[in-house]
Amino acid sequence: MKKVILINSVSEDIRIAITEDGKLAEFFLDTPAKERNVGDIYLGKVGKVIPGIRAAFIDLGFKQDAFLHFSDIGNTLSEYAAMIGDDSDLEEDDEEEEETAPVNTKEEYRRGPNLEKGQDIIVQITKEPVANKGFRVTTKVSIPGRYLVLIPFEKKIGLSKQIYNPREKRRLRSIVKSNVPKGFGVIIRTVAAGQDENLILDDLNSLITMWNDIQSKVKSSEPPCILYKDLSTTSSVVRDLFKEDISKVIVDSKKLYREIKSYIDETSPEFSEKVEHYSGSQPLFDVYNIEKQIEESLQRKVWLKNGGYIIIEATEAMTVVDVNSGKYARHRDQEINSLNTNLESAKEIVRQIRLRDIGGIIVIDFIDQYDEKNRRRLYEEVKKEFKNDRAKSTILPVSEFGIVEITRQRIRQNIIHTISDRCPMCKGTGHVQSRATFINRFERWIKRYRGGSNGRNIAVSVNPFIMNYLTGGFISRITKLKLNNLLNIKLVEDENLALDEFRVFSKKANKDVTEEFDN
């Protein structure tokens, strides 16, 4: 499989596309308007502890408190508390935990770790906010480098599962084990395989320096505050994804090209020739057909080559994918037709899941198949396609109704939320009230109001399209409403209102009275 990273710089935005055999597989947007926060380390303050949901809410200085589940609290909480200077209770509790058996009673499980409201705590952001949910955080802090990931207050040395050579594993372990200071754990990344010892040690020293800076900042800071800012989206993609399986990185910005080239020359000189600067007259994303594929990722319906199609619908709780055969009927045997459509759709569905970065619960309704052997084949195909996915996922076998249930790790916002805003007209539903329904609702509001002691002079703000509808005709609809209800109604145009919204201001009461007479 040929993988290419394309980096396009437009104004203040940087767009990163990762293609696999020419098809867009992942897309990232680096923009000042939507700053990347995953990986950032904060000194926060415990806002609330709710044992009932086994979680705490941490004040990081954002509008919404971050969510800390008890399962994301590591065994080194006492070390972090001592580092902050609050080790009175936590250290004793943690020491007891190390000497005794793991939590095994329902009450201990429900109560969770000894966190208290107002307590200072060091956390790292693991997931971006989604919908009305805030950041998700963990106390299991780690700092990623090019070759290593540093884990403070741990003792283990881990290796990437993608390093297969036993001799190379031993070499890398030996390098790290003999040089890592006491009190640190390290994970050796895939890209470290075959690298010179000096490059790996330089990376280790750089990470330890970063941690020392964090420790110094803790002692001089008041929560909530940021202790460590991870790399931008562009830099993190190059750091984390530029490996042997990437055939080249193409950048259309001279400045970015020089920065990336300099970084790769310093950290992975053997990849230096893979970095290219694009200076063609046509836009980079047009040349590689990326713009069209980004546009398709926003669509509800995605067509398959064989004439079938898939429908992707997102709800707050889950994403539902429906597979349809369309006009595909190459074989007389319906079972074979269903299998062929399902196998092709499986590849496209997994690509769309990765591209759109769909997380949480995903339910796929494949075309019914009656042969158990074909259902197993479809299941294996779905699992095979997910092998290229960096996010963790769990896939259940195909049910007898053709349903496949998946849970996928959610880290950042869905691509639709990243590159588009919610429609101000329909509020994201895809539907707006008909104009006739709007008039009926507005007239019911007026009948409740009826003037009298409320005053007969009102100003009504509506969308410009609705205003044209109300004022059109020889005897306009607004004129009829005025005469029938003996009201003086002044229309005010407000393009910020949706088609089914109106706001009413009473001149007598000198206030907005919309909610007072609505239902």
Side-chain angles (χ1 to χ4, degrees):
M1 181 185 293
K2 184 181 179 182
K3 287 187 177 182
V4 177
I5 298 178
L6 304 167
I7 302 177
N8 164 236
S9 178
V10 182
S11 186
E12 294 183 335
D13 294 348
I14 299 170
R15 302 185 299 167
I16 306 113
I18 300 176
T19 65
E20 296 174 354
D21 293 334
K23 282 193 170 184
L24 183 60
E26 294 186 65
F27 178 80
F28 304 88
L29 178 64
D30 197 352
T31 174
K34 294 182 179 179
E35 188 180 21
R36 178 180 186 269
N37 297 102
V38 169
D40 294 353
I41 300 173
Y42 276 81
L43 176 60
K45 192 174 282 290
V46 177
K48 286 184 289 186
V49 180
I50 308 179
I53 61 172
R54 302 197 72 246
F57 289 88
I58 313 299
D59 177 14
L60 302 183
F62 295 100
K63 287 183 179 179
Q64 290 176 295
D65 287 350
F67 180 82
L68 173 64
H69 194 268
F70 289 169
S71 63
D72 290 319
I73 298 177
N75 296 323
T76 55
L77 197 58
S78 60
E79 282 86 349
Y80 286 110
M83 182 175 151
I84 296 168
D86 179 18
D87 56 356
S88 53
D89 296 323
L90 290 171
E91 190 167 2
E92 291 179 8
D93 290 344
D94 262 15
E95 283 177 355
E96 287 176 11
E97 256 186 29
E98 289 176 8
E99 294 171 2
T100 58
V103 171
N104 53 14
T105 69
K106 285 185 178 180
E107 179 57 27
E108 287 174 322
Y109 177 84
R110 187 195 69 81
R111 190 173 63 245
N114 189 13
L115 288 180
E116 295 181 1
K117 182 178 180 180
Q119 174 185 324
D120 294 351
I121 188 169
I122 295 174
V123 293
Q124 185 168 33
I125 294 175
T126 58
K127 292 181 182 179
E128 299 282 1
V130 177
N132 60 347
K133 298 176 183 177
F135 293 101
R136 182 153 182 168
V137 296
T138 179
T139 67
K140 304 168 188 176
V141 170
S142 62
I143 308 174
R146 173 67 173 156
Y147 303 113
L148 309 171
V149 177
L150 186 71
I151 310 173
F153 306 123
E154 288 281 356
K155 298 176 183 178
K156 67 178 181 181
I157 295 176
L159 270 140
S160 165
K161 292 180 181 178
Q162 295 181 35
I163 301 176
Y164 304 109
N165 188 310
R167 182 179 294 178
E168 182 61 12
K169 286 183 178 182
R170 287 194 297 271
R171 183 185 80 92
L172 292 171
R173 278 187 185 276
S174 176
I175 292 171
V176 173
K177 195 171 183 178
S178 56
N179 289 280
V180 66
K182 186 178 179 181
F184 288 97
V186 170
I187 296 173
I188 302 169
R189 309 185 76 167
T190 307
V191 74
Q195 294 297 331
D196 184 86
E197 180 176 345
N198 291 329
L199 289 175
I200 295 172
L201 293 181
D202 285 346
D203 198 37
L204 176 61
N205 292 330
S206 175
L207 293 172
I208 292 170
T209 300
M210 288 181 193
W211 177 246
N212 290 336
D213 290 342
I214 290 171
Q215 286 185 305
S216 299
K217 198 167 183 180
V218 167
K219 295 172 183 176
S220 60
S221 302
E222 289 292 326
C225 70
I226 187 167
L227 301 174
Y228 165 79
K229 179 72 184 170
D230 198 15
L231 298 178
S232 66
T233 302
T234 307
S235 301
S236 65
V237 165
V238 174
R239 178 192 66 194
D240 299 339
L241 303 183
F242 196 179
K243 298 183 284 191
E244 287 184 353
D245 61 346
I246 300 294
S247 60
K248 53 186 172 181
V249 176
I250 305 174
V251 192
D252 66 3
S253 160
K254 284 185 178 180
K255 181 184 176 184
L256 267 178
Y257 167 75
R258 286 193 294 266
E259 289 175 3
I260 293 170
K261 189 78 162 57
S262 175
Y263 174 73
I264 294 300
D265 286 345
E266 184 179 340
T267 60
S268 302
E270 73 278 13
F271 294 158
S272 186
E273 295 300 317
K274 292 185 177 183
V275 184
E276 300 178 7
H277 174 245
Y278 175 79
S279 57
S281 56
Q282 293 295 315
L284 176 64
F285 275 21
D286 285 353
V287 173
Y288 286 85
N289 195 34
I290 301 300
E291 298 291 4
K292 183 181 178 183
Q293 294 184 69
I294 293 173
E295 185 64 31
E296 288 173 352
S297 73
L298 299 174
Q299 302 303 314
R300 175 174 169 269
K301 179 185 283 189
V302 179
W303 288 95
L304 305 173
K305 286 182 179 178
N306 66 10
Y309 60 91
I310 59 176
I311 300 290
I312 303 173
E313 293 278 11
T315 70
E316 188 169 345
M318 67 178 70
T319 300
V320 180
V321 184
D322 185 33
V323 178
N324 295 277
S325 60
K327 297 180 180 179
Y328 180 77
R330 183 173 297 176
H331 296 273
R332 291 184 179 181
D333 190 335
Q334 177 60 36
E335 181 78 4
I336 296 176
N337 289 333
S338 298
L339 176 62
N340 289 341
T341 300
N342 283 341
L343 291 176
E344 183 178 347
S345 65
K347 294 179 181 179
E348 185 60 31
I349 288 168
V350 176
R351 186 177 81 90
Q352 290 293 332
I353 288 173
R354 293 176 59 202
L355 173 57
R356 300 177 189 225
D357 207 3
I358 299 172
I361 300 172
I362 304 166
V363 176
I364 306 174
D365 182 12
F366 285 102
I367 300 170
D368 289 347
Q369 293 179 173
Y370 302 101
D371 191 328
E372 176 61 28
K373 181 177 68 176
N374 290 336
R375 289 204 292 267
R376 283 199 306 270
R377 185 177 170 187
L378 174 59
Y379 174 58
E380 293 301 324
E381 182 69 23
V382 174
K383 286 203 301 181
K384 185 188 81 174
E385 291 300 318
F386 267 107
K387 284 183 179 179
N388 293 323
D389 188 15
R390 292 183 297 114
K392 295 176 183 177
S393 56
T394 303
I395 307 155
L396 297 183
V398 184
S399 74
E400 58 183 287
F401 301 112
I403 302 293
V404 171
E405 297 167 82
I406 300 166
T407 59
R408 183 175 183 267
Q409 180 185 22
R410 178 186 281 129
I411 297 176
R412 56 198 172 100
Q413 284 191 335
N414 186 302
I415 187 175
I416 292 176
H417 298 128
T418 302
I419 63 177
S420 64
D421 291 322
R422 190 174 70 161
C423 172
M425 296 299 170
C426 69
K427 305 298 184 185
T429 65
H431 299 276
V432 293
Q433 281 185 356
S434 67
R435 290 176 297 183
T437 303
F438 174 87
I439 288 294
N440 290 336
R441 179 168 155 245
F442 182 45
E443 192 167 352
R444 287 197 302 273
W445 188 97
I446 286 178
K447 288 184 184 300
R448 295 188 197 102
Y449 179 81
R450 286 288 187 181
S453 61
N454 296 314
R456 297 192 176 276
N457 295 309
I458 58 174
V460 181
S461 299
V462 294
N463 183 278
F465 292 104
I466 293 296
M467 187 167 181
N468 289 336
Y469 180 67
L470 290 172
T471 56
F474 181 71
I475 301 178
S476 68
R477 293 172 178 80
I478 196 65
T479 299
K480 292 177 182 177
L481 286 171
K482 289 178 181 179
L483 295 173
N484 292 339
N485 295 281
L486 300 176
L487 287 176
N488 180 25
I489 304 173
K490 179 185 177 183
L491 290 180
V492 180
E493 192 175 291
D494 187 346
E495 59 184 18
N496 293 317
L497 293 177
L499 292 175
D500 57 359
E501 282 186 304
F502 61 85
R503 306 301 305 177
V504 184
F505 185 85
S506 168
K507 292 186 178 179
K508 182 178 181 180
N510 195 31
K511 66 176 183 179
D512 188 315
V513 293
T514 311
E515 310 297 336
E516 194 174 335
F517 299 95
D518 195 9
N519 296 330

